[in-house]
């Protein structure tokens, strides 16, 4: 009976043990499964397409929200300026935009002054390697969005394309910091440029719903060098953003379906005749001169405001006076019952574009008998003034208004104002052509009438191309209008405009870079690598020991370490990744290697040796001695100390035999070009094969910032010694 009870207890205990072991195994398997699922989700969340979708969706929502808010603001302005008492109308017409513009200026000044202006010049500078603080922060995002919404809602001739590029880049930068939780790729400093490039493309794409033109425009405007790997990123994010942007318009019943933003209905069978090509060429050449003059006028206004005069000091001290005065003057000139009736002053920017692109020929329509289908285009017709005079006045007045309003301290772009200017000029040429050929142009027995709206589209593309020095504006125009019928003459006009404008003035963005002294063009040829390189280089030689390697790994954070022939010759042999050296060092002092080495030294006791007991044989007594824990630790420490003094064996280490190298006389400009083109993080400086220094991104950025801070050529640290040695050599030559 006792035996049966003991056996039953044993079986019960064994069953409980097995059940517990099974439960532990199940729990471990469940935990492992959850860990793998979590790791899989985190890995998938860090993929590129997730980041691009989030960026496109965010920017589409921001763009649509800003358009909705600014449209409601403009409707409120029209409501308060309806027909009635003219003085009250004028007061409402002037006060409303002044309040919005001054609010935008004050809000940006208090929250983030970096939000003022376009943002494209600063981004162009950042992508060239210059670090501009606070330009890509969340504060700048808030200030830019709210300030730009208020500026667009005021009805002033300011655009949103440039600020949207800045907003999208900030969004991309902030989102990349969030995505770094899931993937370390977004912490890579080289990937930062790719992220900003994609942000620029999304900014233009969701601004107008033009993904193709947005990517091309961002490449032309912001990137000195563009990596092909970013094409799919830019197109994917911009297309998704533009799609959501247009879907939101359909959802809000602003559009019936997903169509172009300024859809036109030009005939497709024969949109223009070859005899009209000279007129298109005239538009292109004229827009080249006009675009160059616009850049010149804009720069002169900015330079005037920067001069240390009593007026500028007063305006700088009282920051709201300048934007308030500019808004007051512009609003006074555009007041519809006043002078604005002679320049279609009642039309808001989007209404201007829609009317300039319409299918009507205004010279054939008289103001009293205007058809109802003319819509808002009737604002261009006056019973006592010719259409030519109204278009000419509109172009002249809006020209200086746009050049001045873009200098106000608010978030503002120049693309849309210049786009409207080009459309007005093209429309003027088109109406002149329609007057010269009232019956149209005869071709193959068929008379085709002139389409002034087509001329307006070509003028808009040519003018914006001349001001920005880009040809992608032609693609943006055909995406905006939804028709490709005029793409060939449009490209001809844009290329001619660029040829003229580039020979006269820099682009508007380069002009702002020069005025703000953001460019590194002052002394990029006068500073050399020897002036900015780090001379105390951490290195390894073929005679270095593991102790030296350990010290190097503990005291530096270098990702690659140069390898030289010897400390005396300093001939550069290559470079080794830090991970390789760390793995080599860890293996050299590992318990496994210690056991292996002990087994090799005591072949007969190899099977009994364990790194936990560190057993060894007393050779005199012939007996095995087991050390205490203290003695074991002491022996391990002694063994490690002995191993640290041994030279490093580089035979099994992967060495890069050709790390990127520069010579001492490489200019700052060439160095920056190479770093930008090849995506380098550092470069070794050699002299006849000898390692004399290293240049990293940090040194390069400091050099560029130092050379552009004051706009004058700064003396580099070793310039005096270099000049002295140069004079000595010249004297010896004589």
């Amino acid at each position: 009976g006792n035996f049966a009870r003991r056996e039953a207890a044993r079986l019960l205990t064994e069953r409980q043990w097995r059940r517990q072991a099974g439960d532990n195994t199940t729990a471990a398997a469940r935990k492992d499964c959850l860990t793998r699922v979590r790791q899989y989700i985190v890995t998938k969340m860090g993929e590129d397409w997730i980041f691009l979708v989030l960026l496109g969706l965010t920017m589409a929502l921001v763009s649509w929200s800003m358009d909705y808010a600014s449209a409601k603001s403009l409707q409120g302005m029209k409501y308060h300026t309806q027909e009635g008492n003219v003085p009250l109308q004028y007061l409402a017409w002037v006060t409303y935009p002044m309040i919005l513009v001054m609010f935008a200026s004050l809000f940006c000044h208090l929250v983030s002054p970096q939000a003022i202006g376009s943002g494209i010049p600063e981004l162009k500078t950042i992508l060239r390697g210059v670090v501009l603080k606070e330009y890509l922060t969340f504060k700048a995002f808030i200030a830019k969005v709210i300030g730009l919404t208020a500026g667009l809602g005021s009805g002033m001739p300011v655009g949103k394309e440039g600020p949207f590029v800045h907003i999208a880049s900030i969004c991309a930068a902030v989102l990349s910091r969030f995505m770094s939780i899931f993937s370390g790729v977004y912490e890579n400093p080289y990937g930062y440029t790719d992220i900003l490039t994609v942000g620029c493309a999304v900014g233009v794409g969701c601004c107008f719903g033009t993904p193709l033109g947005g990517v091309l425009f961002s490449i032309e405007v912001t990137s000195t060098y563009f990596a092909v790997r970013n094409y799919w990123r830019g197109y994917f994010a911009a297309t998704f953003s533009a799609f959501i942007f247009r879907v939101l318009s359909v959802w809000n019943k602003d559009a019936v379906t997903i169509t172009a933003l300024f859809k036109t209905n030009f005939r497709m069978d024969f949109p223009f005749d070859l005899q009209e090509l000279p007129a298109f060429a005239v538009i292109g050449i004229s827009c080249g001169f006009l675009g160059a003059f616009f850049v010149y006028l804009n720069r002169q206004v900015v330079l005037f405001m920067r001069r240390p005069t009593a007026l500028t000091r007063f305006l700088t001290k009282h920051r709201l006076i300048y934007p308030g005065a500019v808004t007051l003057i512009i609003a006074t000139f555009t007041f519809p019952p006043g002078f604005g009736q002679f320049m279609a002053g009642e039309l808001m920017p989007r209404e201007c574009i829609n009317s300039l692109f319409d299918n009507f020929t205004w010279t054939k329509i008289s103001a009293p008998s205007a058809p109802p289908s003319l819509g808002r285009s009737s604002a261009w017709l006056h019973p006592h003034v010719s259409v030519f005079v109204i278009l000419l006045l509109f172009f002249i007045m809006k020209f200086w208004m746009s050049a001045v309003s873009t200098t106000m301290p608010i978030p503002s772009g120049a693309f849309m104002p210049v786009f409207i200017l080009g459309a007005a000029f093209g429309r003027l040429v088109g109406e002149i052509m329609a007057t010269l050929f009232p019956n149209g142009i005869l071709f193959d027995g068929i008379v085709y009438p002139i389409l002034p709206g087509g001329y307006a589209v070509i003028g808009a593309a040519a003018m914006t191309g001349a001001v920005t020095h880009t040809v992608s504006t032609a693609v943006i125009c055909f995406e905006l209008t939804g028709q490709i019928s005029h793409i060939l003459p449009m490209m001809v006009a844009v290329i001619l405009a660029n040829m003229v404008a580039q020979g006269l003035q820099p682009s508007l963005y380069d002009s702002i870079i020069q005025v703000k002294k953001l460019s590194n063009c002052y002394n990029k040829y006068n500073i050399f690598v020897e002036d900015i390189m780090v001379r105390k280089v951490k290195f390894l030689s073929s005679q270095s020991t593991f102790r030296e390697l350990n010290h190097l790994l503990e005291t530096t954070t270098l990702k690659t370490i140069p390898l030289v022939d010897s400390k005396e010759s300093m001939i550069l042999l290559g470079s080794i990744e830090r991970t390789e050296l760390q793995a080599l060092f860890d293996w050299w002092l590992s318990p496994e290697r210690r056991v292996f080495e002990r087994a090799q030294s005591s072949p007969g006791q190899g099977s009994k040796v364990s790194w936990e007991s560190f057993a060894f044989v007393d050779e005199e007594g012939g007996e095995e001695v087991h050390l205490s824990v203290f003695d074991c630790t002491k022996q391990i420490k002694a063994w490690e100390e002995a191993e640290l003094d041994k030279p490093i064996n580089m035979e099994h280490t992967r060495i890069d035999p050709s790390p990127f190298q520069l010579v001492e006389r490489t200019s700052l400009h060439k160095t920056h070009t190479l770093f930008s083109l090849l995506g380098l993080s550092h470069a070794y400086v050699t002299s006849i094969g000898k390692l004399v220094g290293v240049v990293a991104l940090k040194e390069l950025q400091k050099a560029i910032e130092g050379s552009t801070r004051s706009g004058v050529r700064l003396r580099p640290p070793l310039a005096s010694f270099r000049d002295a040695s140069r004079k000595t050599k010249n004297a010896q030559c004589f």
Side-chain angles (χ1 to χ4, degrees), residues 44-65:
K44 288 297 180 183
M45 286 295 293
E47 290 185 353
D48 271 356
W49 70 271
I50 296 288
F51 168 77
L52 298 174
V53 165
L54 290 175
L55 177 60
L57 179 62
T58 304
M59 286 309 303
L61 292 172
V62 170
S63 179
W64 181 82
S65 302

Side-chain angles (χ1 to χ4, degrees), residues 81 85-97 335:
T81 56
N85 192 330
V86 174
L88 289 178
Q89 275 186 275
Y90 173 75
L91 186 63
W93 181 267
V94 169
T95 306
Y96 196 85
F335 182 52

Side-chain angles (χ1 to χ4, degrees), residues 394-410:
F394 175 87
F395 179 79
I396 294 174
M397 299 299 291
K398 285 289 183 179
F399 193 92
W400 68 263
M401 288 179 184
S402 301
V404 174
S405 62
T406 51
T407 64
M408 291 191 296
I410 62 171

Side-chain angles (χ1 to χ4, degrees), residues 189-222:
Y190 316 113
Y192 198 62
T193 302
D194 299 346
I195 289 169
L196 293 184
T197 305
V198 172
C200 295
V202 173
V204 183
C206 70
C207 182
F208 301 129
T210 56
L212 293 176
V215 174
L216 297 176
F217 186 82
S218 67
I219 294 171
E220 286 189 283
V221 169
T222 58

Side-chain angles (χ1 to χ4, degrees), residues 398-518:
K398 285 289 183 179
F399 193 92
W400 68 263
M401 288 179 184
S402 301
V404 174
S405 62
T406 51
T407 64
M408 291 191 296
I410 62 171
S412 62
F415 189 93
M416 284 305 291
V418 172
F419 190 84
I420 295 173
L421 284 175
F425 180 78
R427 184 82 194 201
L428 178 61
V429 176
E431 295 291 345
I432 293 174
M433 288 291 292
T435 304
L436 295 176
F437 302 94
N439 299 323
I441 295 177
L442 179 65
F443 179 79
D444 199 18
I446 303 175
V447 177
Y448 294 95
I450 299 293
L451 291 176
Y455 286 75
V457 174
I458 292 172
M463 183 70 82
T464 48
V467 171
T468 60
H469 286 191
T470 60
V471 296
S472 57
T473 52
V475 182
I476 291 176
C477 274
F478 104 73
E479 286 187 281
L480 276 174
T481 57
Q483 287 189 277
I484 200 171
S485 56
H486 285 79
I487 190 67
L488 185 59
M490 197 185 301
M491 287 299 299
V492 172
V494 168
I495 291 173
L496 289 174
N498 267 274
M499 288 174 59
V500 175
Q502 291 182 20
L504 297 174
Q505 288 289 325
S507 71
L508 179 65
Y509 308 121
D510 288 334
S511 175
I512 296 173
I513 288 174
Q514 292 178 10
V515 170
K516 290 186 176 182
K517 296 180 173 60
L518 299 172

Side-chain angles (χ1 to χ4, degrees), residues 169-189:
S169 299
I170 297 174
C171 187
V174 174
L175 190 60
S176 69
R177 298 190 196 109
F178 169 74
M179 294 297 290
S180 63
I181 300 172
F182 305 103
S183 175
V185 174
Y186 296 97
E187 296 177 349
N188 191 343

